[in-house]
Amino acid sequence: ILGFSTPPGRLSVMAFILNALTCALGLLYFIRRGKQCLDFTVTVHFFHLLGCWIYNSRFPSTLTWWLVHIVCTALMAAIGEYLCMRIELREIPLNSAPKSNV
């Protein structure tokens, strides 16, 4: 069903891309470490590969399936790492007391 030539195929591809974007937000909220984003992204997609293999009783062999998942893996890892790095690189407040003008 994944393909670029039919409307249901394009809709499925867009759903996978939107899923990668929302999972990148999940990396931000659950992982919070830029160094671990790639590891968790590859792990999630590996478990998805295993689930597809078990569900369909055969290994995914279409080029489109592999292209979509490689792009989604790269997108999820890159955006997740970018978001996590923005959080990690914030300034650490040294003084928590309110400032007063004396």
Side-chain angles (χ1 to χ4, degrees):
I1 194 167
L2 284 177
F4 302 108
S5 60
T6 63
R10 286 190 292 268
L11 185 64
S12 295
V13 170
M14 290 306 297
F16 275 105
I17 291 173
L18 287 174
N19 184 38
L21 296 175
T22 56
C23 286
L25 289 174
L27 289 174
L28 173 65
Y29 289 110
F30 294 114
I31 306 307
R32 294 191 176 262
R33 298 275 306 167
K35 290 182 176 181
Q36 296 175 344
C37 285
L38 181 62
D39 296 336
F40 280 93
T41 300
V42 171
T43 302
V44 165
H45 280 86
F46 177 72
F47 285 138
H48 182 261
L49 170 67
L50 289 179
C52 289
W53 193 356
I54 291 168
Y55 181 77
N56 292 325
S57 300
R58 64 183 176 90
F59 192 75
S61 61
T62 59
L63 180 63
T64 309
W65 190 92
W66 285 103
L67 287 176
V68 166
H69 283 80
I70 289 170
V71 167
C72 288
T73 302
L75 190 65
M76 182 178 160
I79 293 175
E81 188 170 339
Y82 171 75
L83 292 174
C84 289
M85 292 301 266
R86 284 188 61 196
I87 298 295
E88 288 178 359
L89 294 176
R90 279 190 193 163
E91 287 186 22
I92 299 172
L94 298 177
N95 187 6
S96 61
K99 293 183 178 181
S100 63
N101 292 331
V102 179

